[in-house]
Structures are given as C-alpha cells and as structure tokens.
Amino acid sequence: MMLEETKKATYTIPVGPIHPALKEPIRLALTVDGEEIVDVDIFVGHVHRGIEWLGMNRNNPIQSIYVSERICGICNICHPFAFVMAVEHATGITPPPRAEYIRTIIAEMERIHSHLLWAGVAAHEIGFDTIFYLTWRVREEIMDLIEYVTGNRVTKAMFQIGGVRRDITEEQFPRIRQSLDYYKSLFDQLKRVFLDDKTIQMRTKNVGILKKEDALKLLTVGPSGRASGVPKDVRQNQPYAAYADLDIKVTTPDILTGTVVGDVYDRIIVRLLEVKQAIEIIEQCLEKMPPGPILAQPKTALLLKTLTKAEGEGIGRAEAPRGEVVHYVRLEAGQSTLATWKVRAPTYVNLMSAPTILKGMQIADVPIAFASLDPCLSCTNRIVVTDRATGQKSVTDYEELHRLSVEKTRKLQR
Amino acid sequence: MSLKAFKRALWVYHLNTGSCNGCDIEILAVLTPRYDVERFGIRLVGSPRHADVLLVTGPVIKQMVPRVKRIYEQTPDPKLVMVVGNCGIEGGVFYESYNLAGPVDQIIPVDVYVPGCPPRPEAIIHGVAMAWVKLEKAEQGVR
Ligand code: SF4
C-alpha cells in the first residue's frame, strides 16, 4: 500500500538534530487515506506537573512567581507577567510606572527570542538546517542582551508583585540600542531568507490553511490567529503595562502582501513583522521611560503580610509570543497560599486548530504545519497513523515524519 | 565491543520527561553555532539505539515512567545517563507535586548530574566532558 511505500522511502534520509519543542510528549492520531490526512486526534497530559496545585498548597504567592516562570522555559516572562497582574488585580497593588516600562521591555525581548527560536525550528522542520543554524546564531544576540539586562539567559526572575526586581539604568541604554540596531540591520536579510526563498515558498504557501471563520470559531489566538486575519492582540485590545502609551498596531500578513491567506507562509510573515515591531516597542520604551521607583513595596516581608491579609480575585492577561495567556487567582484572608490559581496558556486553545490545519494535507506536511502553530507544549513523540483503506494502524515516530518532510523539500527542489 | 568506537564522538539522545523546556532550549543552544559542540563530535541522534549518552531533562511525570525505562533499555551498552537541570536531579521547583514519579535516578541509574535551572550551555558542555572522563575510566576497567 501507499503507506508501505512511503515508509520504505524514509529509510534513506539522515536525521537532523531533534528539537525539544517537538519532543515534549503530546500525541497526535492521524487518520490517513493513502497520503492524505482525513482526521486528527490529539492526546496531551504527559507534562502535567501540577503547577497550579503547588501554588495552592505549597507556595506563597511570591514563591509562586518562580513556579510560574517554570510553566514554560520559552515563555517565562509572559507567565509571571500575567500572574503578577492577576495578583495585583486581586489585591489592588499598583506597580510604579517605571516598572511597567521595564516589564514591557523584557516582554518584547522575549518575543524577539521566541519568534527567532520558532523561525529556526520551522526551517529545521522542512529540512533547511542551514537556516536553522543561521537563525539560532542570530538569536544568541538577544540572549546576550537578556542576560545583560536580567542576569539570566533563560529564566529571567525579573517579576515581583507590584513591580520588577531589577532596574534598567541609563548606562545600559547604549548596549540595548546596539543589539536592537544589529537586528534592524539584519531584518532585510532575514526577510529575504524567509520570504523570498523559493523552497520555503513552495513548502509553506497554501499549506496548512486556517481560514478566518475557522480561526474565529476555534478561538485561535496570537500570531497564528493574526496570520488568518483575526486582528486580536491583547497589547492593543486591552492594553496592560506600558502598552497604552505606545504606538502599536495589530500585525496581520496583509501589511506586507496585501492579502490574507492564512497559510504557513502568512504565519512566517506575521512573526517576522512582530520581531520588527518588538524592536520598535523597546525603542519607544527607552525613550519614554519615566524615572522613579521600581517596586510598590520594596520590603518582601511586608508585601507578604499584605498578601496574606488580602482577599479577592483577579485576572491577568498578557500577549505571549504565542498568543493570549490568562491567569486567574483568588486570595483568601489568612491563607498564605493562593486559594485558586488557574492558568490558560495560548497553546491550549491553539491546539484546537491543529485538526483543521492538518486535514487534507500530506503526511510530509505535518511537521511544518503543526510547528507553524508554534505549539509550546511540545509535540509528537509518536504519531499513530491509521490507514483507512486497510484499517491498519502503525506507529510512526517523529524522526520518520521529519524524514518525510525533508524528502518532500528535496523533491520540490529538483 | 570496544569503547574506542565512541572515544572521539559521543552521540547523545535527548529525552524529555516533562521538563519546562528551559533546559531543552539550552541544550539546543549548545548545538547551534555559538557553542557548536559538533566540533567535538558530539551530536544529537534521533534514536536511543544510536546513542552513547542519554540526556534526560524533566522531573519524570508519572505517565512517562514506562517510556523512560524503555528508552533506557533500548540504548545499547555501555551507556551513560546524564541529567540536565535541577528538576530532573531532585524535583526542583516541582518537588512536592502529586504527578511526579521522579527524580530521574529513582527510575534509571544516573552517571552525571548537571545542576542549574536551567544550567548554562557551558555547564552542559562541561557535563558532557565529565561523561567522557567516566567512559574512559570504564574502558580501562573493561580492559
Ligand atoms: S531544571 Fe528548571 S529550567 Fe530545566 S526543565 Fe526543570 S524547571 Fe525547567
């Protein structure tokens, strides 16, 4: 059968480096008719670490900031960001304006690093490892900048309830601007590499289409939704932190191309433009940043006391690199831990779009189409392929899928 | 079988048992041009059957236990297990959670620990170098 043939063909292609974002155990069950995918089912829950439970049973809210950073190693600004906003909402603590600007700056730095990370992974998914290495080299610059500003490369530990823990001083501005200029000078090159390349166009144009109606129905958020023409962006729709003072517009692919297709190519456009936008936002913040304190309550013990006495519930919404992240908390007087903590990460809703995107496509398109949603909770250890014609089930692991994808690129290049 | 075969080129299989991704992206950073461990012959492979070293991240979620064991069994001897990140070493920030079966050394034997949450890329490279030393010692023992 068809399945047998494709399996044989995969044995010859070498395996590239594995990407962790597509290695965390989520399982997809694809029902295929020959090469075509007719149905998709998703299984998750292999990385459930009981984080909310920890915040409700073990940690006080200040300690929970650290746990919230470890919800995801890639979005570890937006989770604590939404979390502290929720606690501030519940308790009425207002962070000083300078802290709001610093929060905005590091949130945008995270967006740059996350989108570049994604771009590299996407290139890897279609077998373009040269571009994968190129983008990851370029990404090191922002990692250096993040380390320079926050002291850490990955988990930044910047947030505190009612402010931030580290200031960004005048003397640091030139170094920050230097990195931003580096990216600005590179932007045209990146655009050429990702948007003008014929192979990338062939593999991404009209692949994995998510129409606007579907995106609205499936509540797709973030760049994946915006690429389908849904102008949703928390930073503009419900500005938080310093975003209200800044000039931001929702990024949709028609800014560059004039039309919205909603395919993988459009998702690349949106993310590239958002890198540029992030640079502009940081520049605006550096210009407008007001002087003043960075913490509403610098004494942690006093802050903790306020939090223990506080009563109420609050919601924090932030625009993560992958879409809207929502944290809900409830505090009860006299209870040192949170009474309730609920996190809704963007990938949770975006995964619902995966079946729509994958249906009707070839198996070899699965890696790039699935990765184009930028699923943060990481993907397929294995995929169960059921051939409808024979009713036969076989388990394809991710490597084989990757090989199929690479092979398709090679075929198109010929 | 001689250990000489991988004296110069350690092949690594990366296994995520429920980590937060923080360690995983640093492992990738180690492979990409800034740190570029491929110049030492270290590379990630796609199957545990090709690997000399198992690189484990994450605190081992209950559902992952059978898989971790199976992957350990699939890796040919002699092999080394290296845990990257605090949460794999002793649970880290997740240590009291109800859904953990770990840390990793409760499930499979571990040879090298790289602490940090996440460790810096330099620390991960150092960990691989330590694994190297250990393998060399094992080789002398074998002879
Ligand atoms: S050690 Fe820390 S950074 Fe690494 S996976 Fe665990 S929680 Fe994430």
Side-chain angles (χ1 to χ4, degrees):
Chain A
M1 296 277 326
M2 199 66 178
L3 196 68
E4 291 297 321
E5 276 171 42
T6 46
K7 264 194 162 171
K8 251 180 219 149
T10 59
Y11 288 135
T12 48
I13 311 287
V15 185
I18 308 159
H19 186 266
L22 299 172
K23 276 230 60 196
E24 224 175 323
I26 177 189
R27 218 176 79 201
L28 295 181
L30 306 176
T31 312
V32 296
D33 193 354
E35 267 280 324
E36 199 189 309
I37 295 159
V38 288
D39 202 9
V40 183
D41 208 352
I42 302 171
F43 304 88
V44 289
H46 297 83
V47 284
H48 179 83
R49 284 152 289 164
I51 286 175
E52 291 154 347
W53 182 88
L54 291 173
M56 290 187 275
N57 290 282
R58 190 187 75 189
N59 295 348
N60 65 44
I62 296 179
Q63 291 168 329
S64 288
I65 301 175
Y66 298 87
V67 187
S68 73
E69 279 198 322
R70 271 106 186 144
I71 292 174
C72 172
I74 304 173
C75 338
N76 52 29
I77 285 296
C78 57
H79 278 292
F81 201 157
F83 175 72
V84 296
M85 280 198 295
V87 177
E88 283 158 8
H89 184 198
T91 54
I93 299 171
T94 331
R98 189 177 178 84
E100 301 275 37
Y101 274 83
I102 296 174
R103 285 177 178 187
T104 310
I105 290 175
I106 44 174
E108 292 306 317
M109 284 181 183
E110 174 183 76
R111 201 175 314 277
I112 298 176
H113 114 75
S114 177
H115 282 352
L116 287 175
L117 180 148
W118 174 83
V121 175
H124 167 67
E125 296 307 345
I126 58 171
F128 231 140
D129 278 352
T130 326
I131 297 185
F132 165 59
Y133 285 120
L134 178 94
T135 30
W136 275 68
R137 198 197 67 208
V138 166
R139 179 177 164 269
E140 283 294 331
E141 178 72 27
I142 190 77
M143 298 307 279
D144 284 349
L145 183 62
I146 288 173
E147 190 178 359
Y148 176 69
V149 172
T150 70
N152 297 302
R153 272 170 65 89
V154 177
T155 36
K156 288 107 181 164
M158 272 299 258
F159 282 86
Q160 174 64 293
I161 293 159
V164 288
R165 289 153 50 88
R166 272 184 212 86
D167 201 358
I168 298 179
T169 56
E170 241 5 276
E171 299 89 72
Q172 290 177 311
F173 286 10
R175 171 69 184 80
I176 298 174
R177 290 217 169 88
Q178 181 195 324
S179 289
L180 298 181
D181 289 343
Y182 169 76
Y183 280 116
K184 275 200 278 187
S185 70
L186 265 180
F187 185 76
D188 282 330
Q189 194 195 346
L190 281 180
K191 208 171 112 195
R192 219 176 30 248
V193 166
F194 277 100
L195 300 181
D196 299 346
D197 187 277
K198 235 179 128 205
T199 314
I200 293 190
Q201 287 189 1
M202 280 190 295
R203 282 305 307 272
T204 58
K205 276 198 170 170
N206 295 316
V207 171
I209 295 181
L210 184 68
K211 294 213 191 69
K212 189 175 176 180
E213 309 89 79
D214 291 332
L216 284 170
K217 243 186 279 168
L218 295 162
L219 305 174
T220 316
V221 292
S224 312
R226 292 195 279 278
S228 300
V230 182
K232 261 201 297 196
D233 189 326
V234 191
R235 291 174 294 167
Q236 191 192 329
N237 301 144
Q238 202 201 39
Y240 54 97
Y243 288 110
D245 304 348
L246 309 171
D247 175 28
I248 357 172
K249 269 244 161 69
V250 168
T251 316
T252 44
D254 47 338
I255 296 177
L256 205 71
T257 56
T259 51
V260 177
V261 188
D263 54 4
V264 177
Y265 189 70
D266 276 359
R267 283 173 218 135
I268 301 178
I269 295 178
V270 168
R271 294 206 172 88
L272 264 185
L273 291 178
E274 282 190 11
V275 169
K276 200 171 167 211
Q277 187 187 37
I279 295 169
E280 285 159 10
I281 292 175
I282 298 175
E283 280 179 335
Q284 287 183 43
C285 285
L286 291 182
E287 263 166 41
K288 294 186 185 164
M289 201 151 84
I294 54 166
L295 277 170
Q297 173 55 272
K299 295 213 171 70
T300 314
L302 285 182
L303 178 63
L304 205 54
K305 223 167 143 194
T306 326
L307 290 171
T308 317
K309 278 194 209 137
E311 177 120 27
E313 51 182 2
I315 278 199
R317 295 170 71 192
E319 182 74 20
R322 284 157 189 77
E324 179 188 13
V325 47
V326 185
H327 280 232
Y328 165 82
V329 297
R330 193 164 56 82
L331 294 154
E332 259 166 31
Q335 191 177 337
S336 60
T337 61
L338 296 168
T340 313
W341 181 17
K342 177 74 198 140
V343 183
R344 204 232 49 198
T347 302
Y348 195 76
V349 277
N350 279 355
L351 267 186
M352 302 304 135
S353 329
T356 316
I357 284 179
L358 296 178
K359 259 179 223 170
M361 289 197 335
Q362 291 185 350
I363 301 175
D365 289 325
V366 171
I368 179 65
F370 196 67
S372 74
L373 287 174
D374 202 356
C376 180
L377 62 58
S378 314
C379 155
T380 32
N381 245 7
R382 54 177 55 174
I383 281 182
V384 182
V385 180
T386 322
D387 195 324
R388 209 169 51 168
T390 58
Q392 183 193 347
K393 272 192 186 180
S394 67
V395 176
T396 315
D397 68 8
Y398 187 73
E399 303 316 317
E400 240 170 79
L401 261 187
H402 179 66
R403 265 173 284 173
L404 274 176
S405 175
V406 173
E407 192 172 70
K408 186 166 175 184
T409 306
R410 300 283 174 273
K411 245 190 251 156
L412 285 170
Q413 272 173 337
R414 255 174 241 142
Chain B
M1 195 189 84
S2 167
L3 281 166
K4 266 190 193 144
F6 49 77
K7 220 173 162 189
R8 304 234 177 277
L10 280 187
W11 283 13
V12 177
Y13 183 76
H14 170 213
L15 169 65
N16 176 342
T17 65
S19 83
C20 82
N21 261 345
C23 287
D24 310 71
I25 55 171
E26 287 298 69
I27 288 172
L28 263 208
V30 165
L31 291 162
T32 45
R34 163 76 65 85
Y35 297 98
D36 191 21
V37 290
E38 274 195 33
R39 69 200 146 120
F40 304 128
I42 300 165
R43 57 173 300 220
L44 276 193
V45 289
S47 160
R49 293 179 207 277
H50 299 160
D52 306 313
V53 178
L54 271 186
L55 206 62
V56 189
T57 59
V60 193
I61 303 306
K62 277 186 187 148
Q63 288 97 313
M64 290 299 289
V65 175
R67 291 184 184 196
V68 174
K69 283 192 183 145
R70 212 164 102 201
I71 285 186
Y72 181 77
E73 280 155 17
Q74 280 174 349
T75 315
D77 279 323
K79 61 192 155 202
L80 278 171
V81 179
M82 182 170 151
V83 180
V84 176
N86 283 353
C87 68
I89 295 174
E90 32 81 30
V93 283
F94 314 117
Y95 77 99
E96 274 172 331
S97 168
Y98 54 85
N99 208 28
L100 302 191
V104 178
D105 55 11
Q106 306 258 315
I107 319 285
I108 52 174
V110 176
D111 301 286
V112 181
Y113 298 89
V114 183
C117 188
R120 290 187 59 86
E122 289 89 344
I124 300 176
I125 298 175
H126 182 241
V128 178
M130 296 311 285
W132 227 317
V133 173
K134 234 183 157 168
L135 270 179
E136 261 166 23
K137 282 199 186 133
E139 183 187 15
Q140 280 155 12
V142 167
R143 269 178 191 162

